[in-house]
């Protein structure tokens, strides 16, 4: 789960150094962590990243515990606790200057006494990020003197958490950022922001912090002109490389006002657009307040994708709303275009926006997927084909992918679109669905379902 973007637990131990020095060292450690991983944190020599370039990247401090092992007898410490303490590694062991098996009972206080302090933090790829920070960047003397240790593996971190923090039911610390901030880890929690706020914050159960099963999540991507064809090929390729499953795809005309508003409000909240840019944005997505306007010329493409932590990962792949900002920070992004209004792709960036888009999209595409006999199909001029000196024809193509073919729907659609473009053909209508993938989301997948386009 952590490999696919699930936030992981980082456990840090601070060696006891006397009762008077312990508070000062704890403050120095917390200051160093906040300076590197906090909302304004950055690595030495690097600029502070904007929200769009650090999606879900700010970790949270969820627990602190101080234990004075001098008050406990040797036999009062369980074998599980000793094994957990032995799993911590210091700077010398990380740099392979000291054997990893050498522990020296680092948690035992000196003659002056003092507690051993443990910190519990939660964030994406946090163990590897802290490992780089400790080995290359952190100049704190206590860190390089082996007084700051951490658990370098997620499996060992789970055992250590069970031994040291299992009695905690919920965190008492405020999140590093509001749950509405694009950089917040909690923004992409499976629970809604309202549930998190009403329940007093994130729960500290071992099953929620160390999930053993992947929970698929839906997200939406909207590909827009003028580079729709190249954007489709690139998006499908990158999504497949990042373990996304294409659930459905559909060509659409201009967006309805409700869908356009839902997208625009999200972009404004994420600081990618300004309120004054509504007119330009609505034009870029084919939305017109004039009901008599002919939208048959406009063509965009909706993708419905599924993956563990799908909303966060797709938002990370899109990056900042302005392609120029992504280029400035050398951030690999799916966005291509001339500015932040016309950037080629829009996507959901929270569970709330995903739900809003699902409802609005259902209304927008209701006519296109309707099977009512009273309405003509296709609608007049729906193909956007005008008369010219060369006679244009339209044909229908149906593709079904056998479930044992070893092909994903995304790959089939990508290759079909590429082959059509090479032959000078334009896909003016598209409706694909993966019944097997959709059933898997609800836990009811059956072996007879077949992706189709």
């Amino acid at each position: 789960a952590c490999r696919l973007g699930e936030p992981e637990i980082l456990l840090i131990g601070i060696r006891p150094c006397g009762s008077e020095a312990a508070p000062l060292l704890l403050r120095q450690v917390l200051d160093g962590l906040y300076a590197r991983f906090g909302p304004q944190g950055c690595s030495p020599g690097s600029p502070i990243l904007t929200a769009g370039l650090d999606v879900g990247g700010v970790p949270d401090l969820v627990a602190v515990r101080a234990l004075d092992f001098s008050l406990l007898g040797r036999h009062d410490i369980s074998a599980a606790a000793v094994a957990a303490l032995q799993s911590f590694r210091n700077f010398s062991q990380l740099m392979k200057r000291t054997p990893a098996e050498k522990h020296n009972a680092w948690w035992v206080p000196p003659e002056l006494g003092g507690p051993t302090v443990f910190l519990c933090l939660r964030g994406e790829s946090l163990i590897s990020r802290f490992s780089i920070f400790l080995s290359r960047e952190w100049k704190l003397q206590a860190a390089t003197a082996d007084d700051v240790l951490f658990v370098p593996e997620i499996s060992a971190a789970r055992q250590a958490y069970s031994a040291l923090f299992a009695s905690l039911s919920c965190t008492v610390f405020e999140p590093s950022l509001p749950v509405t901030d694009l950089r917040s880890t909690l923004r992409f929690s499976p629970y809604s922001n309202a549930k998190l706020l009403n329940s007093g914050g994130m729960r500290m159960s071992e099953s929620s912090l160390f999930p053993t099963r992947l929970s698929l999540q839906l997200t939406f991507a909207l590909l827009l002109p003028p580079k729709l064809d190249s954007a489709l090929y690139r998006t499908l390729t990158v999504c497949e490389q990042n373990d996304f499953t294409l659930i459905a795809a559909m060509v659409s005309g201009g967006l309805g006002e409700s869908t356009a508003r839902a997208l625009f409000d999200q972009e404004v909240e994420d600081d990618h657009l300004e309120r004054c840019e509504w007119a330009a944005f609505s034009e870029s997505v084919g939305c017109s307040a004039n009901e008599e306007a002919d939208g048959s010329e406009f063509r965009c493409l909706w993708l419905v994708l599924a993956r563990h932590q799908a909303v966060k990962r797709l938002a990370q792949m899109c990056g900042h709303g302005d392609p120029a900002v992504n280029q400035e920070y050398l951030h690999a992004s799916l966005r291509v275009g001339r500015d932040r209004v016309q950037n080629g792709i829009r996507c959901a960036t929270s569970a709330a926006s995903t739900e809003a888009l699902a409802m609005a999209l259902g209304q927008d595409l209701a006519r296109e997927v309707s099977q009512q006999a009273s309405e003509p199909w296709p609608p007049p001029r729906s193909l956007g084909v005008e008369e010219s000196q060369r006679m244009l024809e339209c044909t229908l193509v149906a593709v079904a992918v056998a479930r044992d073919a070893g092909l994903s729907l995304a790959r089939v659609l990508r290759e079909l679109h590429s082959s059509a473009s090479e032959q000078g053909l334009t896909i003016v209508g598209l409706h694909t669905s993966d019944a097997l993938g959709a059933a898997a989301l609800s836990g009811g997948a059956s072996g007879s379902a077949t992706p189709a386009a």
Side-chain angles (χ1 to χ4, degrees), residues 185-268:
T185 299
L186 291 180
R187 177 185 175 114
F188 304 97
S189 167
Y191 304 101
S192 66
N193 295 343
K195 287 183 178 179
L196 285 170
L197 293 174
N198 294 334
S199 62
M202 183 185 61
R203 297 300 173 183
M204 297 287 290
S205 65
E206 186 175 335
S207 59
S208 63
L209 297 180
F210 299 91
T212 57
R213 298 181 60 185
L214 298 180
S215 55
L216 293 180
Q217 184 183 49
L218 280 180
T219 190
F220 296 91
L222 173 63
L223 306 184
L224 296 162
K227 299 182 179 181
L228 180 60
D229 294 336
S230 59
L232 174 60
Y233 189 90
R234 182 183 182 191
T235 300
L236 291 176
T237 300
V238 175
C239 285
E240 194 168 26
Q241 292 172 348
N242 284 268
D243 300 314
F244 279 91
T245 297
L246 178 63
I247 299 299
M250 184 173 293
V251 169
S252 170
L255 270 59
E257 186 171 358
S258 60
T259 307
R261 276 290 180 187
L263 272 175
F264 180 73
D265 290 342
Q266 170 196 272
E267 296 297 293
V268 171

Side-chain angles (χ1 to χ4, degrees), residues 12-30:
I12 297 176
I14 303 176
R15 184 196 298 270
C17 54
S19 56
E20 296 183 359
L24 177 59
L25 178 56
L26 175 59
R27 176 63 183 269
Q28 293 174 341
V29 170
L30 291 175

Side-chain angles (χ1 to χ4, degrees), residues 114-414:
T116 304
V117 180
F118 299 94
L119 307 177
C120 179
L121 298 94
R122 180 175 181 266
E124 183 176 353
S125 304
L126 195 51
I127 292 178
S128 61
R129 292 163 62 190
F130 178 80
S131 177
I132 295 174
F133 175 56
L134 177 60
S135 62
R136 303 178 186 177
E137 302 172 6
W138 209 359
K139 303 305 181 183
L140 181 65
Q141 183 177 358
T144 55
D146 298 341
D147 291 333
V148 179
L149 304 91
F150 76 109
V151 182
E153 298 178 356
I154 191 64
S155 58
R158 179 168 189 164
Q159 297 174 356
Y161 179 86
S162 178
L164 300 171
F165 294 97
S167 60
L168 297 178
S169 59
C170 63
T171 179
V172 297
F173 294 97
E174 290 287 334
S176 301
L177 291 167
V179 294
T180 55
D181 195 291
L182 194 57
R183 297 167 294 171
S184 172
T185 299
L186 291 180
R187 177 185 175 114
F188 304 97
S189 167
Y191 304 101
S192 66
N193 295 343
K195 287 183 178 179
L196 285 170
L197 293 174
N198 294 334
S199 62
M202 183 185 61
R203 297 300 173 183
M204 297 287 290
S205 65
E206 186 175 335
S207 59
S208 63
L209 297 180
F210 299 91
T212 57
R213 298 181 60 185
L214 298 180
S215 55
L216 293 180
Q217 184 183 49
L218 280 180
T219 190
F220 296 91
L222 173 63
L223 306 184
L224 296 162
K227 299 182 179 181
L228 180 60
D229 294 336
S230 59
L232 174 60
Y233 189 90
R234 182 183 182 191
T235 300
L236 291 176
T237 300
V238 175
C239 285
E240 194 168 26
Q241 292 172 348
N242 284 268
D243 300 314
F244 279 91
T245 297
L246 178 63
I247 299 299
M250 184 173 293
V251 169
S252 170
L255 270 59
E257 186 171 358
S258 60
T259 307
R261 276 290 180 187
L263 272 175
F264 180 73
D265 290 342
Q266 170 196 272
E267 296 297 293
V268 171
E269 292 176 0
D270 294 341
D271 293 329
H272 291 167
L273 292 174
E274 300 290 340
R275 285 287 176 191
C276 61
E277 295 177 303
W278 162 247
F281 174 83
S282 61
E283 182 181 355
S284 72
V285 296
C287 173
S288 174
N290 184 3
E291 296 182 355
E292 297 180 356
D294 182 7
S296 63
E297 297 292 341
F298 190 89
R299 184 170 63 106
C300 64
L301 178 64
W302 284 98
L303 301 179
V304 184
L305 301 161
R307 180 189 185 271
H308 186 70
Q309 293 283 346
V311 175
K312 178 174 68 173
R313 184 59 187 136
L314 184 58
Q316 291 173 336
M317 290 159 52
C318 289
H320 195 275
D322 191 343
V325 175
N326 294 316
Q327 294 179 4
E328 178 184 354
Y329 286 86
L330 302 179
H331 178 80
S333 170
L334 292 175
R335 300 195 195 276
V336 288
R338 65 186 185 188
D339 53 34
R340 63 186 185 181
V341 175
Q342 294 189 348
N343 61 17
I345 182 171
R346 303 285 176 182
C347 68
T349 60
S350 68
S353 63
T354 301
E355 294 176 2
L357 283 176
M359 295 181 61
L361 184 59
Q363 298 174 1
D364 268 13
L365 299 181
R367 177 174 296 183
E368 298 193 33
V369 299
S370 173
Q371 298 180 355
Q372 296 181 7
S374 59
E375 297 182 357
W377 183 258
R381 301 182 69 246
S382 66
L383 300 180
V385 177
E386 303 293 339
E387 294 183 2
S388 64
Q389 296 180 353
R390 181 180 179 183
M391 181 64 67
L392 299 180
E393 296 181 345
C394 177
T395 186
L396 299 178
V397 178
V399 179
V401 184
R403 61 188 176 94
D404 57 350
L407 297 174
S408 66
L409 180 58
R411 180 178 177 183
V412 172
L413 177 58
R414 184 185 67 206

Side-chain angles (χ1 to χ4, degrees), residues 90-109:
N90 56 36
F91 174 80
S92 296
Q93 292 170 322
L94 181 62
M95 301 301 292
K96 298 183 179 180
R97 299 173 184 173
T98 304
E101 298 77 15
K102 187 176 181 180
H103 307 292
N104 290 334
W106 64 269
W107 58 91
V108 176

